[in-house]
Amino acid sequence: MLRAIPVKDLDNNKLLNQSVKVNGWVKTFRSNRFIALNDGSTINDIQCVIDLDKNKNDINLITTGSSLEIFGKLVKSLGKGQKFEILVDKLSVLGPSNSENYPIQPKKHSFEFLRENAHLRVRTKTISSVIRIRSEISYAIHKFFNDNGFFYIHTPIITGSDAEGAGEMFSVSTLDKSHIPLSPDGSIDFSKDFFGKETHLTVSGQLEAEAMALGLSKVYTFGPTFRAENSNTSRHLAEFWMIEPEMAFFDLKDNINLAEQFIKYILKYTYEKCKDDIEFLNERLAKEEMSLPKDKRSELSLKEKIEFVINNDFVKLPYSDAFEILKNCKPNKKNKFKYKIENWGCDLQSEHERFLVEKHFKCPVVVFDYPAKIKAFYMRMNEDAKTVRAMDILFPGIGEIVGGSQREERLDILEKRIKELNIDSKELWWYLELRKYGSVKHSGFGLGLERLILFITGMNNIRDVIPFPRTPKNADF
Ligand code: 4AD
């Protein structure tokens, strides 16, 4: 039995004039003769030319969306748009498609429409490109860490500690919702629940990653992460994938340098590996931007933006400097920001982050040493007792892509901070013990996979870079 050749491998002179077998779905069928077939292995379709005499019984079944198995000869194509084509010898329709109702017609669809058809949208060029890129990025992430002496660890998805402070959590429970057991004081009696305590879906694997790093030195997690914030924005998902490296003996500077090196590696790897897809997305974005008014168009193309980030150093500055820039900038003075920058210590909103990155520095920016008040309990306190060794990496068009810090390794200071923030330290006993037995300076960060994919694909909405997005009021598929 001849094995099917992936469409991407047909672009090969060695197969010229050979018999080949290919499987795929029909993208278009023209003039009762020309099938554009694709199996998802590449953005490029293979043209299959039908011989009316040999294939007449099947012709009516060849409709957009149907799946085919084709045997034929690979020849040089005389038509424009492709180097090779297949002269069909034998064709079987594996699965016909009711083409009138088939949602993915060969025309432009809105992304909203495609989200409603998320089970079929991967058959479009744009979404299949994005998903192929997502796969290559994921591979590159593992490769980077593996090549650099990190261990891939798995941290729990169900967690009993709600102290991370990263956002609202989804609860995990098997209690019968119609008969919730109550304690004498009227609160829910979680001792009757599956784990005997209140549990949630994790908002971050960091705390457990710290425990692993303080024994393995360099580790990373890469897994699903859940946040129940009601943020219906184009940058937030309720379920997203986060990469969290954690390194013993690293201070904040080492941490920032690693993050920069890591991001550049991933971008470079993917840029070189996914040339056809990025070329396609580059053109897609250019066309989309043509419909915008001139002042709303980007100065750089998608490819230029990626190249720029790969080839230039990220700007690094402390929060206090970023604060001064923002306080004195024109939009702030002219009240153009929704949240005016007035007092040191305020949190930076996405409008401020984007001003720094897109208007002021015009390149990725690392802001570090944030006010302690606006950051999590575990971040290392600076000598000034006002700021913590936190860092955020801000990207053009995206805003925050990475959040990280040097962790507080001093038990007494950590305990003080937990108290000040009114955090229940009971659940954190093991986290505190890490500071009792061989504590060392250590650092880590979290990179949102989907935000990185947004950047490299030039897509606008985070819902379009994950196969089946989970957002408020949306858990279909
Ligand atoms: O800044 P965050 O909340 O950091 C943490 O969770 C730390 N525990 C990470 C660490 O130090 N190990 O989140 C990290 C990144 C953000 O910069 C963003 O890219 C992404 O995760 N992120 C989201 N992505 C999509 N949807 C959401 N709702 C996201 N929330 C955060």
Side-chain angles (χ1 to χ4, degrees):
M1 236 325 239
L2 200 55
R3 241 181 17 158
I5 298 178
V7 172
K8 83 171 165 31
D9 296 342
L10 291 171
D11 186 5
N12 181 350
N13 279 317
K14 286 199 192 124
L15 291 173
L16 198 59
N17 298 320
Q18 308 258 326
S19 290
V20 293
K21 173 179 160 184
V22 59
N23 295 327
W25 293 269
V26 176
K27 299 285 143 167
T28 56
F29 185 35
R30 284 188 296 121
S31 318
N32 265 353
R33 263 204 94 194
F34 302 104
I35 304 171
L37 196 76
N38 198 302
D39 64 354
S41 60
T42 163
I43 184 99
N44 303 310
D45 303 331
I46 180 80
Q47 173 156 284
C48 303
V49 187
I50 291 221
D51 182 326
L52 276 179
D53 292 332
K54 284 190 201 160
N55 311 113
K56 53 171 175 299
N57 296 340
D58 293 315
I59 279 205
N60 289 336
L61 288 173
I62 304 172
T63 54
T64 310
S66 56
S67 48
L68 307 183
E69 177 183 75
I70 282 178
F71 293 88
K73 190 156 91 173
L74 190 76
V75 298
K76 278 235 154 78
S77 176
L78 298 176
K80 55 177 181 347
Q82 67 268 327
K83 260 199 318 215
F84 301 103
E85 62 189 18
I86 293 176
L87 300 180
V88 177
D89 249 340
K90 195 168 145 253
L91 174 153
S92 321
V93 178
L94 302 175
S97 160
N98 179 341
S99 70
E100 267 169 43
N101 298 335
Y102 183 55
I104 312 296
Q105 293 294 329
K107 62 168 193 174
K108 195 168 165 18
H109 295 289
S110 73
F111 287 115
E112 288 78 12
F113 173 82
L114 291 175
R115 271 173 231 142
E116 286 161 16
N117 290 282
H119 57 310
L120 291 167
R121 67 178 178 165
V122 76
R123 298 196 196 173
T124 64
K125 280 195 185 291
T126 304
I127 302 294
S128 66
S129 283
V130 169
I131 300 299
R132 276 189 297 271
I133 288 174
R134 186 180 170 106
S135 169
E136 288 301 337
I137 290 184
S138 303
Y139 175 77
I141 289 165
H142 287 300
K143 182 162 165 52
F144 175 86
F145 286 125
N146 193 274
D147 288 351
N148 285 284
F150 282 71
F151 296 104
Y152 175 34
I153 55 152
H154 302 101
T155 47
I157 295 204
I158 299 174
T159 167
S161 70
D162 60 355
E164 220 278 344
E168 296 294 312
M169 305 179 102
F170 290 100
S171 54
V172 173
S173 171
T174 53
L175 291 178
D176 177 355
K177 290 204 180 66
S178 52
H179 296 100
I180 302 255
L182 297 178
S183 311
D185 67 358
S187 61
I188 297 174
D189 182 2
F190 283 107
S191 70
K192 303 266 170 15
D193 206 344
F194 188 91
F195 294 104
K197 66 199 281 193
E198 189 173 10
T199 50
H200 297 97
L201 292 179
T202 187
V203 292
S204 160
Q206 178 199 320
L207 302 193
E208 290 89 354
E210 282 186 53
M212 293 289 109
L214 295 175
L216 294 168
S217 287
K218 292 200 285 188
V219 300
Y220 72 105
T221 70
F222 181 0
T225 310
F226 306 88
R227 303 214 177 157
E229 308 150 273
N230 212 348
S231 316
N232 230 331
T233 78
S234 57
R235 302 283 173 267
H236 288 87
L237 289 166
E239 178 181 300
F240 64 99
W241 285 66
M242 184 155 54
I243 299 101
E244 294 183 276
E246 191 69 34
M247 297 75 64
F249 316 107
F250 269 50
D251 64 13
L252 186 71
K253 197 160 171 246
D254 303 324
N255 196 24
I256 293 173
N257 289 341
L258 179 82
E260 179 171 356
Q261 192 198 345
F262 169 61
I263 292 176
K264 286 181 174 170
Y265 174 90
I266 304 300
L267 292 181
K268 190 159 186 281
Y269 181 95
T270 315
Y271 190 62
E272 283 164 10
K273 196 76 205 272
C274 303
K275 281 204 169 78
D276 289 352
D277 287 321
I278 288 178
E279 195 63 54
F280 169 79
L281 292 168
N282 190 58
E283 278 169 35
R284 186 203 77 82
L285 190 63
K287 273 190 217 139
E288 188 182 274
E289 293 207 338
M290 285 311 280
S291 63
L292 298 174
K294 269 206 174 123
D295 61 326
K296 293 268 183 304
R297 294 181 203 160
S298 325
E299 286 167 30
L300 301 181
S301 71
L302 175 64
K303 282 168 65 181
E304 286 166 339
K305 277 187 222 164
I306 300 171
E307 283 168 14
F308 183 86
V309 173
I310 293 172
N311 296 323
N312 287 282
D313 288 342
F314 295 3
V315 167
K316 299 160 188 104
L317 80 167
Y319 167 93
S320 296
D321 293 1
F323 169 77
E324 286 303 325
I325 293 171
L326 289 165
K327 193 175 164 198
N328 297 317
C329 73
K330 252 198 204 151
N332 197 50
K333 289 191 160 157
K334 294 192 164 170
N335 293 321
K336 289 272 158 42
F337 287 141
K338 191 166 163 214
Y339 299 91
K340 190 165 179 151
I341 297 279
E342 280 169 320
N343 301 315
W344 186 93
C346 62
D347 208 351
L348 304 186
Q349 304 296 328
S350 115
E351 57 181 346
H352 309 129
E353 296 175 341
R354 292 182 71 162
F355 174 83
L356 285 174
V357 174
E358 288 159 27
K359 298 279 185 303
H360 191 83
F361 290 112
K362 296 185 189 278
C363 84
V365 173
V366 187
V367 180
F368 59 90
D369 284 352
Y370 277 85
K373 265 198 309 207
I374 56 169
K375 290 289 181 185
F377 75 94
Y378 51 71
M379 298 185 176
R380 194 181 198 279
M381 188 60 75
N382 276 315
E383 301 299 304
D384 62 11
K386 271 180 14 197
T387 58
V388 285
R389 303 245 77 193
M391 64 104 165
D392 281 356
I393 302 186
L394 315 175
F395 251 52
I398 313 285
E400 185 198 320
I401 195 161
V402 162
S405 63
Q406 183 172 335
R407 319 306 188 187
E408 185 55 80
E409 84 284 13
R410 299 161 297 184
L411 182 63
D412 51 339
I413 298 176
L414 185 59
E415 280 176 333
K416 191 165 150 247
R417 193 117 158 88
I418 287 177
K419 225 185 203 152
E420 278 167 10
L421 294 174
N422 268 330
I423 294 170
D424 181 5
S425 62
K426 269 205 313 290
E427 289 295 339
L428 288 172
W429 67 270
W430 59 272
Y431 188 75
L432 293 166
E433 276 207 349
L434 295 169
R435 275 73 184 164
K436 286 184 197 162
Y437 307 123
S439 189
V440 289
K441 77 175 168 203
H442 62 286
S443 301
F445 62 85
L447 167 78
L449 176 68
E450 286 76 15
R451 295 211 182 152
L452 184 64
I453 303 175
L454 279 178
F455 177 74
I456 197 165
T457 58
M459 298 293 285
N460 287 321
N461 195 314
I462 202 160
R463 294 167 174 83
D464 300 326
V465 300
I466 185 165
F468 300 104
R470 298 287 177 253
T471 50
K473 303 276 176 287
N474 174 25
D476 289 341
F477 306 102

